Amino acid sequence: QSQNLQNLKRKRNDQMKLLSTNASNTKIRKSQEQSGLRIASLSLYPNDRICSGAKLALCMKPCLKDAGFGIFPNVKDGRQSKTDFYLQDQKGFLDQLIKEIRNFVALCIKNGESPAFRLNTISDIDWTKHGIPQMFPQAYFFDYTKVAARLGRTPPNYDLIFSYSQNPAYQKQVARALQTNAPLAVVFRGHVPIGSYFLGREIIDGDKSDILNQKQKGKIVGLKLKGHEAKKSKSLFIVEPSQACPAISSNTCSEQDLATAGRAFAIAAE
């Protein structure tokens, strides 16, 4: 542990860069191209402290942390160093983050671009508690969350999508989210049944742009399961396309206990 602290301090002394501004993340790049915004993102390595809903949602194992560049040890180590920085020296972390956001906003304005930020690329921190979105009203912030209480309580420049899981212990969160018109992200195995319905809401293709997804009020943002290891998972965070209904008017498409349906699938697959 002392060695980890020494490594962390060394990286801080080198002024660890927190934000990625080159759109190296595929989804960030797609969102940037579709929206015309210039996006900076923050990728921490998730744990139960910075993803408080992950335990109930059973999403830590199939998490995107192990997809894409996340399979490489140097990427994982870099993300972990940022997480350690946040947890062990929150003031220092926030000072550095605010500095980078301020510089990015200034650069965008200078170039005639509109700045946007996704600070929870694979985490779920309430940045409003740190005053970050409020500090930069000229910028747009967007994220996913598993904390339904955050929905509808963000400043005008900060949009959230609720992340679904069919784990029974998570259903109070889902019920609360369904009382809002916030988009609900659902991860499907194999393919996204676009145009079908889930939880009484139409499913749209959510793999095109997260900026576009934020505007899909009252919709299900369908996401295809990604990551080699995640595809092996039987987590209730993952929904089977067969659980979607082909049409909301269909007699078979009445609202159902999808947590129970998901559990039945999990038992059958074991």
Side-chain angles (χ1 to χ4, degrees), residues 55-58 165-174 236 259:
K55 193 170 184 179
L56 282 180
L58 298 179
S165 170
Q166 52 193 342
N167 187 33
Y170 188 66
Q171 294 314 296
K172 287 184 178 179
Q173 293 289 326
V174 174
L236 293 177

Side-chain angles (χ1 to χ4, degrees), residues 101-162:
I101 292 175
R102 184 177 291 116
N103 290 342
F104 185 75
V105 169
L107 177 63
C108 288
I109 292 174
K110 180 181 177 181
N111 294 334
E113 299 169 314
S114 298
F117 297 90
R118 183 173 175 186
L119 300 183
N120 283 324
T121 306
I122 42 177
S123 55
D124 195 359
I125 296 169
D126 186 352
W127 297 105
T128 62
K129 290 184 177 179
H130 299 306
I132 302 291
Q134 302 94 312
M135 198 178 300
F136 298 95
Q138 71 275 50
Y140 175 61
F141 294 78
F142 63 102
D143 278 317
Y144 288 70
T145 185
K146 292 179 179 64
V147 183
R150 295 181 62 198
L151 302 175
R153 296 185 177 183
T154 54
N157 62 329
Y158 191 12
D159 284 334
L160 292 173
I161 292 174
F162 181 76

Side-chain angles (χ1 to χ4, degrees), residues 161-162 164 177-178 180-186 195-205 212-222:
I161 292 174
F162 181 76
Y164 175 80
L178 286 170
T180 75
N181 70 339
L184 267 66
V186 177
S196 294
Y197 286 76
F198 189 75
L199 293 174
R201 295 186 175 195
E202 183 183 5
I203 302 169
I204 62 104
D205 183 357
L212 182 62
N213 291 347
Q214 295 288 348
K215 310 304 177 186
Q216 303 301 310
K217 305 300 183 184
K219 303 283 188 180
I220 295 294
V221 175

